[in-house]
Amino acid sequence: MQSLRILLLIMSLFAAIESSIAQTPIDSLLRIVKNQKGEAQINTLNQISKAYFGKNPDSALYIATKALKLAEKENYDIGKVDAIRCIGVVKYIKGNIIEALQNYQEALKLAEEIGYKKGIADNCNNIGVIYASQKEYEKALEYYQKDLKIEQELENEEDVAFSMNNIGVTYLSLKQYDKALEYQNKALDIQKKINDPRGIAASYQNIGEVYQAQEKYEDAFKYLNLSLQAYEKIGEKLEILYPLLHLASLYQIKNQDTKAKEYALRVYALAKEIGASSEILEASTLLYEIFKKEKNFEQALLYNEIAAAYKDSLSFKDVQLKITQKENEYKYQEKVKDAKKQQELKQNSIYLLGIGFIMTLILLAIVYYFQQKGVEAQKIIKIQNQKIEDAYTELAQQNEQIKQQNFNLETYNKKLQQNQKILNKAIQSQKIHQEELRLRNVEILQQKEELQSHTENIEQLNTMKDKLFSIVSHDLRGPINSIKALLDLLQEGFVSPQEFDRFLPELNNNIQNTVILTDNLLFWAKNQLDGLHTDPESIDLKIIAENNITLFKNQAQRKQINIQNTIEQPLMAWADKNMVDLVVRNLVGNAIKFCSERGNIAIQAQIYENTHYRVSVKDDGVGIPATQQEKLFHSQGITTLGTHQEKGTGLGLLLCREFVEKNGGNIGVRSEMGQGSEFFFTLPKA
């Protein structure tokens, strides 16, 4: 949240300036300015510009520019200082830090030349904000302290309070939390004393940020909400952004993502409306983190791209480089001015020497006049001539020095321009290279993902092929061969019809198992090749349970197993009938498989969470080891012989999981060795 802290400084600054305007609505100021002329009109235009800072920065810039033109026309220096500074504040709000710094330096220099203390204080504060944004906090404190000293001399309690606000925010950046709270509380006391709503809101905001940095989240929530309420009463769109953004951050820290997203979206919308670049960056970065956590990758990608775009435009490294360049240009201009002053002084010296030369000629005339009066006069003339020659020699040397200085300045200026061109080309080349690398990386990642996807598909197809051949060659072929052998014995007369009747229950059992196996195999193969497609309808769970009990009646009687349907009334679920029927068939078949003789099986159903039914098949069989329970629904090929050595394929439970999930439900198992098992699944109510 570092960039937010910096913007709080500039907001507290122009909030202080607006204090004298807050009692006069903008509409009233606009009516007043129409009837004004000269300095009064310029002052009112600057007031209107300041009033528009938090409402409409574009309007503030237009009006400040108009005020500057009028001040230049009227030669009104105080009006110039205020107008240039207003332009700088708007440039800062819009993220144009370099242009803002130029405006502040120009305004500060003019204010110092005319002795305008209020202008000196305000621009010192602004320049302090620039240094703070570059993390040069000690230098920022130097300017803030100068600002505070002047405000105290002017005995303006409101501006003193806001200067303390800025110093407190800087100590917060330096992690000197005690000093930060000391200055913020002093400022708050003054603002409450003079009843300054905007100042109170700013201090609440700053104190809340200190508590957030100290991880005292309850105190942070308290003060940030107080700040938000105060700013909402004032109605400034820009100022409302800051407590909102901090509250969004706090809700994210507390894992209250819904509230965090609500506040962050509000910040983003307001920042877009008024063109606040830094806040758009902060809000979009926060929204990226929230949507990524929610696995809403489409929205996360959108806000990540927005954040990257604004981050590039506000790159601190580029800003620091440009600030250094501007400072060098400023120093160079000062050197040029000093050189010009020295040249003017030397020109004045030449003028004085010229006057001296004329006076010398007059003196020579006088001496000549008195030449006849003695040798002493001749000596005087000789001395004066020598002085004149010395003066000419010195003058020639000074002229050579001036020429050399001018040449050095021109050479330095050319080198500076050349270095600037080289630097601009290097920056442009670096940007192009970075973009090429980014595009190349994106292309490589896409190719890698496509290759990985093809590899996974091939591996899945190979696994399916091997599984299919294994099932057809062993599990499906075995029962069919047994049936064929029995029929061949009957046909060739080796088995009598009476003896064949004894084999009918076993034959029926083999056929039934083969049918179930074939259904599972067909559904599994279709799922692997085409994917699952459901055809949901309203189905009666009671009827499906009864049909499967009838289907397994003979198989259950062979092991003297009692199957009970406890679903006493129709229960209508919304699902694919064939899929649900296969799920129940597999679960009942498995229950019979692992029940001992004279065992019990119960099919049950009940309402689950008001929106679903919970269907279960419970047996008192051998149970399932805990180590295998987690693998039942996720691995192909896990199969165990039943209590009568019944075989399986390992596909049944895998299909059950896929079919249940495809119909909007979940499946699970509870089992204990020696006590039996309960398989259960959920389906939506019709």
Side-chain angles (χ1 to χ4, degrees), residues 459-659:
E459 289 177 352
Q460 290 176 359
L461 289 173
N462 284 334
T463 302
M464 182 186 73
K465 178 197 68 176
D466 294 341
K467 184 67 179 176
L468 187 63
F469 286 162
S470 173
I471 292 170
V472 170
S473 63
H474 296 92
D475 300 312
L476 189 59
R477 184 180 178 188
I480 292 175
N481 284 340
S482 298
I483 295 170
K484 180 179 180 301
L486 186 60
L487 292 174
D488 288 342
L489 291 173
L490 177 65
Q491 185 177 7
E492 293 174 4
F494 291 106
V495 177
S496 66
Q498 292 78 14
E499 290 176 328
F500 184 77
D501 287 343
R502 288 192 298 106
F503 291 106
L504 281 178
E506 181 66 27
L507 180 62
N508 180 61
N509 184 50
N510 284 342
I511 292 173
Q512 188 170 342
N513 288 335
T514 303
V515 169
I516 294 173
L517 175 60
T518 303
D519 287 344
N520 286 345
L521 183 61
L522 290 174
F523 271 110
W524 176 77
K526 185 176 184 300
N527 177 31
Q528 296 296 317
L529 294 173
D530 301 329
L532 287 175
H533 300 284
T534 61
D535 186 15
E537 60 180 310
S538 182
I539 59 174
D540 189 344
L541 297 175
K542 179 182 179 182
I543 292 175
I544 288 178
E546 290 175 348
N547 290 342
N548 278 280
I549 290 173
T550 302
L551 178 65
F552 286 101
K553 181 178 179 181
N554 292 333
Q555 189 174 345
Q557 286 177 349
R558 288 184 62 249
K559 298 176 74 172
Q560 299 180 26
I561 294 172
N562 175 38
I563 304 178
Q564 183 180 6
N565 180 11
T566 65
I567 305 175
E568 298 179 352
Q569 58 185 4
L571 296 179
M572 308 306 294
W574 184 257
D576 187 301
K577 181 179 179 182
N578 292 328
M579 290 184 177
V580 176
D581 192 48
L582 185 139
V583 171
V584 175
R585 191 187 315 156
N586 274 280
L587 295 182
V588 173
N590 284 345
I592 294 172
K593 177 179 175 182
F594 292 103
C595 262
S596 301
E597 292 188 358
R598 299 184 181 84
N600 295 288
I601 298 173
I603 302 177
Q604 302 172 337
Q606 58 188 4
I607 296 174
Y608 178 71
E609 293 185 352
N610 295 325
T611 58
H612 288 68
Y613 289 114
R614 183 181 184 274
V615 182
S616 66
V617 177
K618 187 175 183 180
D619 64 68
D620 56 4
V622 296
I624 304 169
T627 55
Q628 291 188 9
Q629 291 181 26
E630 296 180 357
K631 303 177 183 178
L632 290 175
F633 302 106
H634 300 282
S635 301
Q636 297 179 8
I638 294 180
T639 179
T640 306
L641 295 176
T643 55
H644 281 192
Q645 304 302 305
E646 299 99 320
K647 293 182 179 180
T649 65
L651 288 177
L653 290 178
L654 187 63
L655 283 174
C656 288
R657 177 182 67 83
E658 292 178 354
F659 286 3

Side-chain angles (χ1 to χ4, degrees), residues 40 183 241 368 623:
Y183 275 94
L241 290 175
Y368 180 76

Side-chain angles (χ1 to χ4, degrees), residues 45 49 136 183 208 253 263 266 327 350 414-415 430 439 539 561 629 643 672:
L45 285 172
S49 175
E136 295 186 31
Y183 275 94
I253 292 171
Y263 279 77
R266 187 176 171 188
E327 288 179 343
I350 295 171
K414 289 179 181 178
K415 287 183 178 179
Q430 184 182 13
L439 294 174
I539 59 174
I561 294 172
Q629 291 181 26
T643 55
E672 185 176 349

Side-chain angles (χ1 to χ4, degrees), residues 396-411:
Q397 291 175 349
Q398 290 177 350
N399 284 335
E400 287 298 323
Q401 290 177 358
I402 291 171
K403 288 180 181 179
Q404 185 63 38
Q405 288 177 353
N406 287 336
F407 176 77
N408 291 340
L409 286 173
E410 290 176 1
T411 303

Side-chain angles (χ1 to χ4, degrees), residues 411-471:
T411 303
Y412 178 77
N413 189 29
K414 289 179 181 178
K415 287 183 178 179
L416 190 64
Q417 291 175 353
Q418 290 173 354
N419 291 337
Q420 181 66 41
K421 290 179 181 178
I422 293 171
L423 182 60
N424 290 339
K425 288 181 180 179
I427 292 173
Q428 186 64 28
S429 175
Q430 184 182 13
K431 288 182 179 178
I432 294 172
H433 182 63
Q434 288 176 345
E435 180 63 18
E436 290 175 350
L437 286 177
R438 187 187 68 80
L439 294 174
R440 182 67 59 83
N441 287 336
V442 170
E443 183 180 352
I444 292 172
L445 286 174
Q446 289 176 347
Q447 292 175 351
K448 180 181 177 182
E449 290 174 358
E450 291 176 359
L451 181 61
Q452 186 174 356
S453 177
H454 290 324
T455 303
E456 290 175 355
N457 289 337
I458 291 171
E459 289 177 352
Q460 290 176 359
L461 289 173
N462 284 334
T463 302
M464 182 186 73
K465 178 197 68 176
D466 294 341
K467 184 67 179 176
L468 187 63
F469 286 162
S470 173
I471 292 170

